[in-house]
Amino acid sequence: MDARTFDKSKLPSRHVTEGASRAPHRSYYYAMGLTEEEIHRPFVGVVSCWNEAAPCNIALQRQAQSAKAGVKESGGTPREFCTISVTDGIAMGHQGMKSSLVSREVIADSIELTMRGHSYDAIVGIAGCDKSLPGTMMAMLRLNVPSVFMYGGSILPGKFKGQDVTIQDVFEGVGMHSAGRMSDDDLHQLECVACPSAGACGGQFTANTMACVSEAIGLALPGSAGAPAPFESRDEYAVESGKAVMKLIALGIRPRDICTRKAFENAATVVAATGGSTNGALHLPAMANECGIDFDLFDVAEIFKRTPYIADLKPGGKYVAKDVFDIGGVPQILKSLHEGGFLHGDCLTVTGKTMAENLSTVTFNTEQKIIYPVSNPISPTGGVVGLKGTLAPDGAIVKVAGLKMLQFRGPARCFDCEEDAFRAVEARDYKDGEVLVIRYEGPKGGPGMREMLSTTAALYGQGSGDKVALITDGRFSGATRGLCIGHVGPEAVLGGPIGLIKDGDIIVIDTETGQLDVEVEPAEFERRRKAWTAPANPYQSGALRKFANQVGSARYGAVTHEGGKAEIVCYADI
């Protein structure tokens, strides 16, 4: 089918391009150089998170131009726009991190509003940094117009003293420096070489985790997540993404046709199999909410529990995203999982074919050591684990990929914000065997559910990564390693147990059984609860105030609206 022959009376853009009453609207398009033929074609929003905030985003505008060429070639009219992106690496370790999770909602909302306001018919979305990937996919699922997602690509690995390095090594270098294990000169040299190109952080951190999700869930073209940002092949994928979205318009395939419950299970499987970011357990429920699908932290954890860990990727392993690309990309991961019976092969994808059909032409590469067959996994269960217990009735999450210490029991050392914890760690004011507790950093209590990479990396750099545990109602970066448990719910500001524990309370962690308990009698907790009052939110204006007022539990993705279940009219059907 040729999109140029479409009857616009069935597309949203008819509201701005068709009929005598739309003469004023068309005049704006003539002002921008569109021809009459272009005005009457399907309008495709080509959105990127381009900005100059960080290397994750600086190549996205280039890729957007290629996507526009693909749309034009297939008979559509591309309309480019940008949305924001908060870059976690730069927001990390200070108040700026409160903006990070909030930005996911702003990205989704801003794409929605641009699409609604201008009546675009489809989306090609290009994103590069952690929250921009799920934020863009959330908008696609919310609007439910034909959509193709494309990752902007990873950064190339840096080289330091003959070894591949990533931004994780710099954060851990700060801890090494504070412990006297790295000189001023070495730290400076490391920071100068760790990030040598455009692209998102190179390990299996949040950006690359969600890039794998984009292919596993079916919203991205097979192989499109692999090429590093500087590579020309990424522009070729962008062209093909533009062409693919026009085919989806022709076929009438929408994101919710693709992102079924089975597709979300595939997505959770790839997070666990790759030892991906714990943030996957926050973003998948948020994406499912847009479709009206029930898929909370415990549903994600159930998939994690039965998934083998097969990808030897940083931070728990040895390799980075470029290494995966070199041996065949994300399809290699999916092929291994599908051959082992861990993926639903009947799920539809943006190719118009099923996952099994896409993988039928892929041969698993046996001449490499990065992705293992499921018959010989790194470990039989996933690299990410869900926890539950008296300290986390609404669940918690931990990355166990590469961990040797899977159980821990020790006294709590409580901090009411990340800054206090970081100062204590920087000064080495903690003891081996303690469980460091950082609370009032949840979605509502933070507000914003900050990531704690500065603190966890400092611990690891000081050589204490396997000597203490850390738990929080906030989040961790995908680059975090060590026994670091996040998303503890209910969060402290809501009166959850994490807000009632005291220094010295014994905390018991067992990642094999999925337990997170505190040895405090229920009656004692009730006495503490009666004496407890929630601290006031110091943010009484602006986006952080709005987020704190609207945000829900991390268990359900820390979302700010009711989602697809409450929907009466879908944008795609206007």
Side-chain angles (χ1 to χ4, degrees):
M1 298 177 72
D2 187 336
R4 279 168 280 208
T5 66
F6 268 57
D7 178 2
K8 289 262 279 193
S9 67
K10 297 181 180 179
L11 297 176
S13 63
R14 71 187 186 276
H15 295 296
V16 296
T17 66
E18 306 306 305
S21 66
R22 298 310 184 226
H25 305 64
R26 289 191 294 272
S27 68
Y28 285 118
Y29 291 112
Y30 287 124
M32 291 184 281
L34 267 63
T35 65
E36 186 168 358
E37 180 188 3
E38 289 171 327
I39 290 171
H40 293 294
R41 293 177 180 180
F43 279 10
V44 177
V46 177
V47 57
S48 77
C49 302
W50 177 85
N51 62 38
E52 293 182 333
C56 330
N57 309 308
I58 57 174
L60 302 185
Q61 194 173 57
R62 181 197 90 218
Q63 295 176 33
Q65 307 316 305
S66 297
K68 288 164 66 178
V71 170
K72 285 183 179 180
E73 187 176 332
S74 295
T77 298
R79 309 312 300 149
E80 183 183 1
F81 64 99
C82 291
T83 184
I84 70 158
S85 178
V86 171
T87 298
D88 289 2
I90 293 176
M92 195 73 68
H94 56 93
Q95 294 291 307
M97 180 48 72
K98 292 180 183 291
S99 301
S100 171
L101 186 58
V102 182
S103 76
R104 186 191 71 181
E105 308 307 299
V106 174
I107 289 163
D109 290 351
S110 64
I111 294 173
E112 175 195 358
L113 294 176
T114 300
M115 293 289 294
R116 284 187 184 277
H118 305 100
S119 298
Y120 296 157
D121 302 314
I123 307 172
V124 176
I126 307 170
C129 197
D130 295 3
K131 306 307 167 295
S132 60
L133 281 79
T136 300
M137 289 187 276
M138 285 164 65
M140 292 173 171
L141 294 167
R142 184 184 304 177
L143 295 162
N144 203 31
V145 291
S147 301
V148 176
F149 177 85
M150 197 182 87
Y151 180 39
S154 66
I155 201 168
L156 296 173
K159 285 286 185 183
F160 179 70
K161 297 188 174 181
Q163 300 294 317
D164 282 352
V165 291
T166 70
I167 192 66
Q168 170 197 351
D169 297 281
V170 187
F171 275 100
E172 292 181 3
V174 172
M176 295 175 69
H177 181 265
S178 69
R181 299 171 59 203
M182 179 175 278
S183 68
D184 290 346
D185 287 345
D186 277 355
L187 181 59
H188 178 67
Q189 184 183 346
L190 175 61
E191 73 178 74
C192 290
V193 300
C195 299
S197 75
C201 300
Q204 193 64 352
F205 312 150
T206 304
N208 281 314
T209 297
M210 296 309 296
C212 290
V213 162
S214 72
E215 289 196 36
I217 208 167
L219 285 175
L221 291 177
S224 64
F231 284 21
E232 289 185 6
S233 57
R234 179 143 297 288
D235 300 88
E236 295 167 13
Y237 274 113
V239 171
E240 293 305 313
S241 295
K243 293 179 180 178
V245 83
M246 297 306 299
K247 182 179 178 181
L248 294 177
I249 296 174
L251 296 174
I253 296 174
R254 297 176 174 183
R256 296 184 197 174
D257 300 324
I258 294 169
C259 295
T260 61
R261 168 69 188 228
K262 285 184 176 181
F264 277 99
E265 291 180 2
N266 285 349
T269 297
V270 85
V271 173
T274 60
S277 170
T278 54
N279 283 306
L282 190 73
H283 300 322
L284 289 178
M287 290 168 61
N289 178 66
E290 302 290 353
C291 307
I293 294 173
D294 292 326
F295 197 66
D296 70 7
L297 173 62
F298 293 128
D299 296 308
V300 174
E302 192 62 33
I303 306 297
F304 288 172
K305 192 184 299 183
R306 63 176 188 248
T307 303
Y309 170 41
I310 63 169
D312 191 10
L313 299 172
K314 289 178 179 283
K318 302 174 186 175
Y319 300 100
V320 295
K322 181 183 179 297
D323 298 314
V324 176
F325 168 72
D326 288 340
I327 58 99
V330 175
Q332 288 292 310
I333 300 168
L334 299 178
K335 184 71 172 183
S336 176
L337 292 168
H338 185 250
E339 286 185 337
F342 289 94
L343 288 183
H344 301 290
D346 58 345
C347 290
L348 187 63
T349 73
V350 291
T351 64
K353 299 177 182 179
T354 65
M355 176 69 70
E357 288 171 328
N358 290 342
L359 293 173
S360 65
T361 57
V362 176
T363 301
F364 184 70
N365 184 348
T366 58
E367 302 299 318
Q368 48 85 30
K369 299 179 181 180
I370 303 166
I371 309 301
Y372 287 58
V374 296
S375 59
N376 181 35
I378 299 169
S379 65
T381 55
V384 185
V385 172
L387 305 173
K388 187 178 183 181
T390 56
L391 187 51
D394 270 356
I397 200 82
V398 60
K399 181 185 286 194
V400 296
L403 271 188
K404 296 178 181 177
M405 180 176 64
L406 299 177
Q407 290 89 20
F408 198 92
R409 182 179 183 274
R413 174 80 182 281
C414 300
F415 301 93
D416 288 349
C417 66
E418 184 194 10
E419 284 84 355
D420 289 350
F422 183 76
R423 279 192 288 269
V425 169
E426 193 174 37
R428 300 183 65 81
D429 181 19
Y430 61 90
K431 297 177 182 177
D432 291 351
E434 287 185 326
V435 180
L436 308 184
V437 178
I438 306 177
R439 58 194 179 189
Y440 299 108
E441 292 286 8
K444 185 178 290 289
M449 203 178 184
R450 285 195 287 182
E451 291 182 352
M452 310 290 175
L453 178 60
S454 292
T455 302
T456 61
L459 284 167
Y460 215 94
Q462 290 174 354
S464 298
D466 59 353
K467 297 174 183 175
V468 299
L470 194 152
I471 70 171
T472 181
D473 52 6
R475 299 181 294 128
F476 293 115
S477 165
T480 286
R481 54 177 172 166
L483 190 54
C484 299
I485 298 166
H487 306 197
V488 173
E491 61 174 292
V493 79
L494 297 179
I498 192 172
L500 303 176
I501 58 178
K502 295 182 177 180
D503 287 350
D505 287 346
I506 300 300
I507 293 173
V508 181
I509 302 163
D510 191 329
T511 66
E512 293 186 317
T513 63
Q515 292 299 118
L516 178 57
D517 294 314
V518 57
E519 295 179 354
V520 175
E521 292 297 322
E524 172 61 19
F525 259 148
E526 282 307 308
R527 282 192 290 273
R528 293 181 188 181
R529 182 170 281 109
K530 289 176 182 177
W532 172 86
T533 55
N537 175 13
Y539 297 89
Q540 291 298 315
S541 64
L544 295 183
R545 166 70 185 206
K546 286 192 287 186
F547 184 80
N549 287 349
Q550 297 168 353
V551 71
S553 165
R555 174 178 173 178
Y556 300 103
V559 297
T560 56
H561 69 111
E562 295 300 315
K565 275 193 172 182
E567 183 179 83
I568 296 172
V569 178
C570 177
Y571 167 77
D573 297 323
I574 62 171

